[in-house]
Amino acid sequence: MSSASSSENDAEGDEEMAENKVPTDPSEEVSEDRRHDDEASETLEEQRMLEILEEERAGITTPTSMENGGLGKGYRNIQQDDHVSDLEDNQHMPRRKGSPAESVDSIPDDTPSIQGSVFSSPGSSVLPSMASRPGLSSPTPSFRPFDRRFQSRLTSSPLNSPRTPSPSLLSHSRQTSFSSKLAIGTEDTDAPSPPWEVVRWTKLKKLNNQTFSEAGKRKFGTPTCISVSASIVLGTSKGIILIFDYHQNLKSIIGLGTIAVECGAVTSIAISADHTTVAGGHANGSIFTWDTARSARPFLSIPPLESSHLRNRTADGHVANFAINHLGFLGTRHTALVSANDRGMAFSHLASRGTGALGRSVKTTRILGRYPNDKTVPGKQHKPSTVLAFAPLPLGNVEQGVDSLGLTAILTPYLLVIVSTTPVAQTEHKSARPKEVAAHSAMSGCLAWFPAVKLKVKDPTTGDLISKVKLVYCWSNVLTVLDVEEVESVEKDKPPSLFFKARSRWKAEEAIVAVQWLSRSVLTALTITQRLVILEDQTMRVTEGFDLLQKHIFRQDLFSRQLQTLIEQLDEEDPSMHGVVADAFYMSFKTYKGRMFLLGFNDVSTGTLSNWADRLIALMENGDYIGSIDLAASYYTGEAEKLTIGLPEDTSLRHSMVRDKLLEIMTASVKFAFSKGRVERSSQDDHLRALAEACYAASVAIGDIDFLFDEAYEWYEQGDAEGIFLETLEPYILDGQISSVPPTIVKSLVTHYVTNGLESRLEEMICHMETSTLDLDELTTLCKQHGLYDALIYVWNEALGDYITPLIDLLTLLIPLTQNGDYFSNGDATEDPNYGVNALKMFPYLSYTFTGRRYPTGQSLEAEDAFNAKAELYWFLFSGKSITWPKGNRTPFLTKPNSSEEPSFPYLHMILNFDAPSFLSALNEAFEDSFLNNTPDQSSNSATNGDMSEEYLFGLSIDRRYIVSILQEVMSPANFAVEDTIYLDMFIARNLPKFPQYLLLSGTSLHKFLTNLCNYPGEDIANDAQLSAEYLLSVYHPPDLASLVPLFKKAGFHRVLKSVYKADKQYARLLQAYFDDPEDQDAAFDCIADCLRPRSGLSKKQISEVCEVIKTHAKALVDLDTTRTARTIDAFAPSLHGDVLDSLESEPMRQYEYLEAILEPKNDGETEVRATPNSSFMDHYVQLMCRFNAGHVVDYIQAVESSDLHLEKVLPAMVSGGVIDAAVILMARDGQVQAAMDRLTNHLGFLETALLGLLSAGVQNSEQNSKENAASELLETLQKYTSVGIWLCQGQSKPSTRRATFLPSKRASSSKSSLLPEELLWLNLMDSTVRITQAVSTSLSELPGPEASSTGRSRSGQIDTGKLLTTLRTLVQRTFTALLTSTSSGSNVSFLRVLRAFLTRASISSPNLSDLRAVLSSIFSAYAYEESILSLSDRLLDKDLFLNVKEATDLRQRGWRPKGSICEGCRKRVWGPGTAGGVFKKWEEKQGLERSKREERRAALVGDDVTRGKAKAKAQVDSTDDSASGSEDARGKGKGNGVSSTADTDDDEEEGHGFKPAANGDEPGALIVLACRHIYHQTCLEAVQVEDISGDVVHDGREYRCPIDG
C-alpha cells in the first residue's frame, strides 16, 4: 500500500480525478494509487491489503504483543507527563497534558463512581463487566453514563493545550533586526535608526558650485526661493532667475540686464504647466513672466501701483514695495496668473491677446485683502492679516471641468478661502481655523494641492478610475485633508458644482511650516523644528520621521512684522491666541514626482524615499536575514506601510512584485545559515529555529510550501537540524495552515517524534494531515507499534473509507483476556495501557461515528459517508454473526480464538463484557440520530443505488426497536450480572419517553424494568436509577401503583414518592416524603405553604393530618431554618407555635430565635414589632431576651403596649438578668411609679456599694487595667440609671400626669413641709445621686497618702480620681438641671420645696454642712450654667429676628417695575418723561400723606396711660385697616402672584391712596402694576375686568387678573 512520491504523479492524479471523479466530501482524501490505478491494480491492491491485515492481526493477537516495550513505555511516559510542568526546558517542546484516558469522557468529575457497586446476588456465578467489578481499577473515570457526551482528546479546548503557539505569533528576538513596522512618530526621537536610509539625500554639487560659490553669489546673488518641474528654477536676491536641468547644467539666466534686476530680490517663482514660461515676483511688488526660449525681455510685465495712484485708483494691483510672496499660473495659459503679497492682498492677472509685451494689456482683479488707505467701517475693527499660504490648482493627467475655474486656495491666520477666478472671481469655500489648534502655539500656515489623476486600477474606496482633487492645509499643528468633488452642471454653459469635505485630520506635536504631496497617497510635512514627517493619506499614520537640522534649510521671517500687533495683544486666558509667528519655509521645500527638493543656506539637496527593495537589501547587507524575510512577508500580506515604500495598493500587483524577491531571500538565507565557516551547531540552534519559523510563516503567507519541503528541508537535513525543522512544522499542521506533507517528510517526522518519546503529539499531527500523501503501510504499522490508535482510526477512515477495521483493531486488544475461555477473568489486565487507555477509545469512536462525526477531529461527515459508516458499524455489532473482514478474507474475526464456539452477537457480547456502561452511553448518543428512524426516505433513496452491500441493506432496516430487543436478548440475567443489566434498564427507561413511536414494549416488560430500577445494586447509582424511574413513569402508568410504594420507599426514590402522593392527594404523606428526602428537605416549607394556604382545597381531615406531621417533625423543621420555620408556621398554622416551642424546650436559644422571627420580623433591613394574641409568647420572649439579648429589652418594651406584658411574669427575669431600667419603665407604665423609683434607688445603692468596694480593694499590677475598666463600666451604668430616673420624674411632673398613679397622699393642705408625690420622686433621685457623690468623695479622701499621685490618679488601681469625681458631679448637675427644667414648664413641682426638703434630709444625715459644700457648688453651677445659656440664646434670637424683619421690610419697600411706560388698555403714556396729568405731583402728595400716617402710629405707640384708652384702640384699628388694604392689594391674579404699584411707590394702601382720575377725565387715574409687570390705569383695568366676568359677579375692587396673561 504505497503512496505517490513524485510531483509528476501528483499532477497526473489530480488531472484524472478532475476528469473522472468528484469526491462527495471535499475534505476526504483518497490515496494516490486509488486515484489513477486501473481495475486490475485495484484488485491487486485489495489482495495486498488483505495480506497486511492478516499479518498484523496475527502479530497482535499473540500474547507476546502485550510485552511490547515500546507500547507500554510510550503510554507510561504519557501518563508521567501529567505531572510535568508546562515550562520545561526550551530544548524540548512541551508535551501534551493528560493521558489518553482523560479523553474518553468529557465530564469526568461530577458523577458517582461505579467502583462501589457490589457483586450480583449471592450464589450468582456471573461476573460483572470490568467497569463494574469492585476492587478493580475502572478503565474509565466514574461517570453518569447517560448524562455525558464522549469527546476525543484532539477535540478538547485549545486553551488547555500546552503546545507552543504558532511561530507566526512569536516575535523572534534579534539585536540588529528591524521589521517594517518602524513607523517612527514624532515622539520617537530616541528610536534606533534602521539599517536603511529612510530618505536618500543627494547634494547637487554642480549646481551648488555655480550658485553658492563666491563668484556665483557676486554674479547672481544669494538664492531666495526654489521651484521644480521639468527644470530646477532658483530665484536670487539680485532679481535674477536661474534655470537648471536635471544634469545640473545652467540652461538659462533670466533677468540679467533687464528692468527686473532693479525690482529687488525674487521672492516667488512659478512655472507654467507646459514648463516653457517662468514667472517671478519681486520685493517691490513687480511681476514678470519670461519665455524660457526667449529670455532677453519679459513676456509680461505687471508693475505695482504707485502710492500716488492709490487715492484715485482706476484699476487694481499690488501696492508698491509690498513683496510678492506667492505666485502661480492658472491652468494651461501663460497669460493668467494669481499672486499674493505680504500684506494680505491677493490678485488675479489676465493678459489680453496681442503681440509682444507692449501690445498686451493686463487686467488685475483683487480677490482678497484691503488697500492700506481703505476706510474702515465705523464700529468694526479690522484685525491685522496676511497670506500664510497660497496656491492655484495645478493640472492633472486627465482633463476635468474644475481646470477651467482657476481654483486658488488662500490661507490666512483666520480663514481658508478657496476662490474661483474664472470667469469671475467668487468664493467657493470657506473654513475657519479648527478648534484643535494648540493654545498659544506658534502661528504657521501651509497648503498644497493634488490634482485629479487617472488611476491604473480602480480606487478601492470609491471604485473610480479617476481620483478626486485633494487639498492638504495646515494651521499650526493641525493638518487637514479636504476632498473636492465635482458635479457636472445640467446646463452646458454653466461651470460644474463643487462640494468640499474635510475627510481626514491629524494633529502633530509642533507647528507645521511646510507640506507637500509625495504621491497621491503619501504626504510629507516639515515642522517648525525642521523635522520631516511622512504620512499616509487615508490612515493618517506616521510611517517615518527624522530631523533635517543638519540640512540648514533656508527660511525667512515674512509675517511677524505684519502680525506684530496681533501677537503683542496675546491674552493668556484666550486659547485661540498665538504666542509667536513661525518663519516661512514654503519657498524652500518642494516635491516633484516623488522627489523632495530642499533649498538650504549653502546648498540645494534632493531626496527620495527608500523603496521596499532597498530596505530588504539593506537588511541583507546588515546580516539580518530573518528580519528581511519577516519584512518581505509583511510587504506581501500588506501589513506594512506599502504606500510610502513604492508598493502598489492593488493586492495582485503587490504579490507579483514581492513573491519572487521573498523566495530569493529565503533561499539565500538558508544557504548562508548552513554555509561552511559558520559557528558550531550548538550555538546556532536558536538562530536556525528562528529562521525556520520565518520561512514557514513566509511560505504560508505566499501560499507556496514547496520551497519548505524541496529546498529548506534538504539544507536542514544535511546540517543535522531536521528536528528543528520538523518541530517548527507542528503548529502549522495543527492550525490547519499546512495539511499536505510529502511522504519523505512524514517518515522523518514519525521517526523524530517516536525517537524523542513524543508519540502523542505525533498522533495529533497525523490526524490533521491529508492522507493522500501518507505511506499507509508504514504509517499503520508505526501507529500500532506505538499505540497511536487515534491516528490509526483516522487513517483507516479518511484514506480508505473503512470504519470496521479500526474497531477490529481495538477489539483485538481484548482477545488476550479471553484466552482462558472466560471473559476478562484476569483483573490485573486493566493495568496495561492496552485496556486502560487504548481499548477504551472504541467508545468515543462509536459515539462519533454513530452521530455522523469524524474521529477524532469531530468534523461532520458528508451525508453519504456518514450513512455508510453507520451502516457498517451497526452491521458489524448487531448482525449476530462472526464476520470476515475485509471482504474476500477467508478467516473470520473471532472473539474466542481458542474456543470452538462463538456466542451469538459475539462482538456486541465482547464489548458489553468489557464495559457495558460506556457502550450503552455511546448508544444513548446514537439513539438521538435520525439514522435509526427508518424513514421511508431511506428506502426510496436506496432503490436507485442498484446492487447494494449487505451492510448497506442492514443499515436501511435497523431501528431502535431492533437494537433494544437485541440488547435484551444478549444482556440476559444468565449472561450478565445485575451491575451491568441495571444500565440496560436505565438506558431503556430514559429513551422510552424520547422515542415512544419507535419503542413499543409490553406492560410486563416495563413493570420489570421499574422493579429492576428499584433494586439497583449500589448506592453510587441510586440517583441515576431514580431519574430513570421518573423517565419511565412519565409514559408508563402501572395499574396498581400503590403496591409499588413500599418498593419505592425501600429504594429511597423520594422524588417518585412525592409524585405519587401528590397525584393521589395524600398531602400528609407528601410532606412526610419531603422530610424523609435528605437532599430536598428545604422544599418542605413550600409544601407546607401549598397545603395550608387559603383555598388550597384540602379538607379539614387532610389539614389535620398535615399539622400532625408538622408537630412530629417540628424539631427537624427548626433545624433546617429557624427563621423560615417561624414565618411559615406564623403565616399558615399559627396554632402550632406552642408545639414548635415545646419541641425546643431543651434549646432556649432556638426558642428565642423562633420568637424573634415571629414578634420582631425583619423586612428589608427594618425591624417590625408585632403583637400576638397569645400574650404568654411575649412574656416568654422577654424572659428569653433578658438572658440572650439584655440590651434590647428596653427598646422592645417601649415599642409594645404595656397591656401585652405581665409584670409579675417578666419582672423576676429582668431582675435576675440585671435589666433594671426595663423593670423601672415597665413598672412606671403599670402605675407603680413609687415602687419603680424605690427599685431604681436600691439599684443605685447597689452600684454605689460596688464602686466603693472597687476603690477600697487592693489589686496586683496585672489587674490594674481591669480595675480601671470596671470603674469605667460602673460610671457608665450610673449615668444610664440616672437618666432613667430623670425620665421617670419628668414623666410624672407634666401637668397632664394623672395623680392616680401615686399612693394616696396624707399631706395636709396647710402643711408646707409635705411634698407632692412627684416632688418626692425628685427628692429620692437627688438624694441618691448626692449620696453616691458624697460617699465616693469621702472614700477617695480617706485613701492613704502614698496611694494618691500628684496627677490625681490612684496608684493602687490606676484609676483617674479626677475624672471619677467630675463624672459623679455631672450626674448631680444633670439631675438638678432636669429639675429646673421641670419647674419652669408649668408643672406643680416647686424647686424650692424640693431643695428645702433635700437640705433638711441632708442636715439630718450629715450634721456638718461642710460635707455638702461640693454638692451645693454643683447645684449653683447648674443655676449659673442655665442662666448663661438662656441669656446667650436670647441675644442670638434678637439678632436673627432683627435681620429677618429688616430683610422683610426691604423687600416690601421694593416694588415691581413695569415692562413699558404706556397703559396696556388705553395705550397712553402713564409714567416717564412727557406724562400728562401731574403724576409726579400726585406721587409727592402720597409720600407726604404716608409720612404723616407713620408719625401718628409712632405717637400712638409712645403715648402715656391717659391716651391709651379708645384712642390707641382706634389707632390700632386704623393701622390694621391700612395693612389689610396693602395686603389685599398685594394679591393680584396676574402671571405673578399679586398686584403692585409702580416702581417708585409703596404697595401698602394702593387702592386707598392711588391716583384718582379727575372729574373732567383729563388726569390719569390710579396706576395698577400687576405681578406679570403689565401696567394699567385703574379705570381701564376695571373696565376690562367687567367685560370678562359674568353679570352676577361683583368685583371687590382690590384683586385683579391680567387680561393678557390671565
Side-chain angles (χ1 to χ4, degrees), residues 731-801:
Y732 290 94
I733 293 177
L734 298 181
D735 292 339
Q737 297 178 344
I738 297 178
S739 57
S740 179
V741 183
T744 55
I745 306 296
V746 174
K747 182 177 180 179
S748 300
L749 193 69
V750 172
T751 303
H752 172 74
Y753 275 79
V754 170
T755 303
N756 291 276
L758 304 175
E759 294 89 347
S760 177
R761 287 164 53 188
L762 173 63
E763 182 178 36
E764 187 172 355
M765 282 191 288
I766 293 174
C767 293
H768 286 80
M769 292 183 189
E770 293 182 2
T771 56
S772 59
T773 60
L774 301 178
D775 187 343
L776 302 182
D777 291 344
E778 183 178 2
L779 188 59
T780 53
T781 303
L782 289 173
C783 289
K784 291 181 180 180
Q785 179 182 356
H786 300 287
L788 307 181
Y789 281 90
D790 282 341
L792 182 66
I793 296 172
Y794 175 80
V795 171
W796 281 113
N797 293 348
E798 294 298 313
L800 302 175

Side-chain angles (χ1 to χ4, degrees), residues 432 477 582 711 1164 1419:
N477 64 323
E711 295 186 36
D1164 298 332
I1419 296 173

Side-chain angles (χ1 to χ4, degrees), residues 204 207 225-234 241-252 254 269-278 292-293 590-593 597 604:
L204 305 180
L207 182 150
C225 54
I226 187 173
S227 184
V228 182
S229 60
S231 303
I232 302 173
V233 182
L234 298 176
I241 298 176
L242 305 177
I243 301 177
F244 295 84
D245 62 12
Y246 279 93
H247 296 288
Q248 305 181 45
N249 297 319
L250 182 59
K251 304 297 293 183
S252 178
I254 296 177
I269 300 177
I271 305 174
S272 65
D274 59 359
H275 317 302
T276 61
T277 304
V278 175
T292 56
K590 302 293 181 180
T591 60
Y592 184 71
K593 291 187 177 181
F597 294 85
V604 175

Side-chain angles (χ1 to χ4, degrees), residues 30-281:
V30 185
S31 67
E32 296 295 332
D33 295 293
R34 296 180 67 179
R35 290 182 181 175
H36 58 80
D37 286 349
D38 54 11
E39 295 181 357
S41 63
E42 288 180 355
T43 304
L44 293 175
E45 188 67 22
E46 185 174 353
Q47 295 295 331
R48 170 63 179 159
M49 189 166 60
L50 292 175
E51 295 175 2
I52 294 174
L53 288 174
E54 286 296 322
E55 294 173 0
E56 292 174 346
R57 185 173 302 158
I60 293 178
T61 55
T62 58
T64 58
S65 65
M66 295 182 59
E67 301 174 0
N68 190 326
L71 180 63
K73 179 181 178 180
Y75 275 98
R76 288 188 182 94
N77 291 339
I78 294 174
Q79 292 172 348
Q80 291 173 1
D81 287 344
D82 293 348
H83 308 289
V84 179
S85 172
D86 294 340
L87 300 176
E88 293 183 326
D89 185 16
N90 293 333
Q91 299 292 335
H92 305 285
M93 297 180 68
R95 303 186 179 187
R96 180 166 296 280
K97 187 175 182 180
S99 68
E102 296 177 355
S103 67
V104 176
D105 187 12
S106 61
I107 310 175
D109 296 326
D110 58 350
T111 56
S113 174
I114 305 175
Q115 300 175 9
S117 302
V118 298
F119 280 104
S120 56
S121 57
S124 173
S125 60
V126 180
L127 289 174
S129 63
M130 295 185 65
S132 304
R133 295 186 198 178
L136 297 180
S137 299
S138 175
T140 59
S142 58
F143 57 88
R144 296 181 183 275
F146 307 113
D147 294 341
R148 71 170 182 176
R149 289 293 182 267
F150 281 102
Q151 184 174 352
S152 71
R153 177 173 59 88
L154 304 188
T155 55
S156 60
S157 173
L159 297 178
N160 297 328
S161 174
R163 175 172 54 84
T164 55
S166 172
S168 61
L169 303 177
L170 300 176
S171 58
H172 83 275
S173 59
R174 61 184 185 269
Q175 298 295 329
T176 60
S177 162
F178 296 91
S179 70
S180 63
K181 299 179 181 180
L182 284 177
I184 304 175
T186 56
E187 70 278 4
D188 300 331
T189 56
D190 296 329
S193 298
W196 62 81
E197 291 185 42
V198 177
V199 176
R200 297 193 304 273
W201 292 102
T202 303
K203 291 185 178 181
L204 305 180
K205 295 182 179 179
K206 187 175 179 181
L207 182 150
N208 294 336
N209 290 335
Q210 300 177 65
T211 306
F212 291 94
S213 64
E214 292 298 328
K217 291 180 181 179
R218 286 195 301 267
K219 184 177 180 180
F220 306 124
T222 304
T224 57
C225 54
I226 187 173
S227 184
V228 182
S229 60
S231 303
I232 302 173
V233 182
L234 298 176
T236 68
S237 59
K238 290 188 176 183
I240 298 174
I241 298 176
L242 305 177
I243 301 177
F244 295 84
D245 62 12
Y246 279 93
H247 296 288
Q248 305 181 45
N249 297 319
L250 182 59
K251 304 297 293 183
S252 178
I253 302 173
I254 296 177
L256 192 63
T258 65
I259 193 175
V261 297
E262 301 175 3
C263 296
V266 177
T267 53
S268 58
I269 300 177
I271 305 174
S272 65
D274 59 359
H275 317 302
T276 61
T277 304
V278 175

Side-chain angles (χ1 to χ4, degrees), residues 474-502:
C474 306
W475 257 306
S476 188
N477 64 323
V478 178
L479 180 146
T480 307
V481 178
L482 186 75
D483 283 340
V484 182
E485 186 174 354
E486 177 182 340
V487 179
E488 294 292 337
S489 177
V490 180
E491 301 180 12
K492 295 183 179 180
D493 298 336
K494 289 189 176 181
S497 300
L498 302 180
F499 296 93
F500 300 85
K501 180 181 179 181

Side-chain angles (χ1 to χ4, degrees), residues 224 226 553-555 584-590 597-599:
T224 57
I226 187 173
I553 303 174
F554 178 78
R555 59 187 183 276
F585 286 79
Y586 66 89
M587 78 291 291
S588 306
F589 180 58
K590 302 293 181 180
F597 294 85
L598 285 179
L599 172 62

Side-chain angles (χ1 to χ4, degrees), residues 998-1068:
Y998 299 110
L999 298 178
L1000 302 177
L1001 300 174
S1002 64
T1004 304
S1005 299
L1006 297 179
H1007 191 276
K1008 177 184 176 182
F1009 294 147
L1010 187 59
T1011 305
N1012 291 341
L1013 290 174
C1014 294
N1015 295 316
Y1016 53 87
E1019 290 297 329
D1020 53 347
I1021 59 173
N1023 192 42
D1024 291 328
Q1026 182 177 200
L1027 184 60
S1028 301
E1030 291 179 276
Y1031 272 104
L1032 184 58
L1033 289 173
S1034 65
V1035 294
Y1036 169 57
H1037 305 287
D1040 189 10
L1041 189 59
S1043 62
L1044 294 174
V1045 170
L1047 195 59
F1048 293 151
K1049 288 183 177 180
K1050 179 182 177 183
F1053 288 177
H1054 302 290
R1055 294 197 300 270
V1056 176
L1057 288 171
K1058 295 171 190 175
S1059 301
V1060 173
Y1061 293 146
K1062 190 171 185 179
D1064 293 344
K1065 297 184 179 181
Q1066 301 180 28
Y1067 297 106

